[in-house]
Amino acid sequence: TAWTDAPATNAMKTAIVNPKSCDYTISFDVLVPATYQPITAPRVLFYRSATEVAIVASAKTSDLKSIFPTTNILAYIDSSKNDLNVYVMTTSDAAASVFTSESLPPIKNIPQGTPFRLSIAFMPNYVEVYIDGKLNATTIIKGTPVRTETQFWPPPASVASAVQVGKFYYWPRALMASE
């Protein structure tokens, strides 16, 4: 567990001992303020990296791959549509040095002003996304997820006023839907 006493700040990695590259489930609370936020950058909920990553407030969704080069999974909320997006960085067997992003179907119009629990089961061949225990999106991964055993980080400082996360839980296995 991490970020249990207060919402995570940009300098608070999870410090999970030996986090797996995939074959795990994460779950955490998310609060998107209902007030207007003049941020055009995607509101990143979490990413994986050895060190903290900065994102400029004017970044675009197309910039995420270069801003977070060491992550293999990333969740963000679109700043204009309020849709939750999850993408996975993968490689193909034929081109192991070429990284592509595979995205799940967006979860439309997530709640504002009310906290919700976001859970993600990340396996080598599929990803499932749950909001408050209800399955909202699932997809089969076509490529091989990029290997990373780096830590999970909360929203970068430039978008921290537009989204808060807390009560991070990590299981080194995929939880069953009933769990």
Side-chain angles (χ1 to χ4, degrees), residues 25-82:
T25 302
I26 58 173
S27 184
F28 53 96
D29 295 337
V30 179
L31 174 64
V32 180
T35 57
Y36 172 73
Q37 300 291 324
I39 296 171
T40 58
R43 295 174 278 180
V44 174
L45 300 177
F46 78 93
Y47 60 96
R48 296 190 73 174
S49 179
T51 59
E52 182 182 355
V53 175
I55 182 172
V56 296
S58 60
K60 296 177 178 46
T61 302
S62 59
D63 300 329
L64 292 176
K65 193 169 161 182
S66 62
I67 295 170
F68 301 98
T70 62
T71 194
N72 63 356
I73 186 167
L74 179 102
Y76 69 92
I77 298 171
D78 185 289
S79 61
S80 60
K81 298 179 188 174
N82 205 46

Side-chain angles (χ1 to χ4, degrees), residues 20-171:
K20 296 172 80 174
S21 185
C22 60
D23 283 332
Y24 63 81
T25 302
I26 58 173
S27 184
F28 53 96
D29 295 337
V30 179
L31 174 64
V32 180
T35 57
Y36 172 73
Q37 300 291 324
I39 296 171
T40 58
R43 295 174 278 180
V44 174
L45 300 177
F46 78 93
Y47 60 96
R48 296 190 73 174
S49 179
T51 59
E52 182 182 355
V53 175
I55 182 172
V56 296
S58 60
K60 296 177 178 46
T61 302
S62 59
D63 300 329
L64 292 176
K65 193 169 161 182
S66 62
I67 295 170
F68 301 98
T70 62
T71 194
N72 63 356
I73 186 167
L74 179 102
Y76 69 92
I77 298 171
D78 185 289
S79 61
S80 60
K81 298 179 188 174
N82 205 46
D83 294 346
L84 174 65
N85 296 277
V86 177
Y87 80 79
V88 176
M89 294 301 295
T90 61
T91 62
S92 67
D93 293 333
S97 63
V98 177
F99 301 122
T100 57
S101 60
E102 297 184 35
S103 60
L104 278 73
I107 299 170
K108 305 286 186 189
N109 201 22
I110 57 126
Q112 287 185 330
T114 304
F116 63 93
R117 173 69 48 98
L118 176 64
S119 302
I120 300 173
F122 181 31
M123 303 304 291
N125 53 357
Y126 73 92
V127 177
E128 294 179 336
V129 178
Y130 296 82
I131 293 182
D132 291 333
K134 180 182 172 198
L135 180 64
N136 276 261
T138 187
T139 196
I140 295 173
I141 300 172
K142 296 173 184 68
T144 302
V146 172
R147 284 203 55 81
T148 183
E149 292 168 356
T150 57
Q151 291 296 322
F152 296 90
W153 291 81
S158 60
V159 296
S161 65
V163 64
Q164 293 180 333
V165 297
K167 295 184 182 172
F168 186 94
Y169 300 98
Y170 169 88
W171 294 266

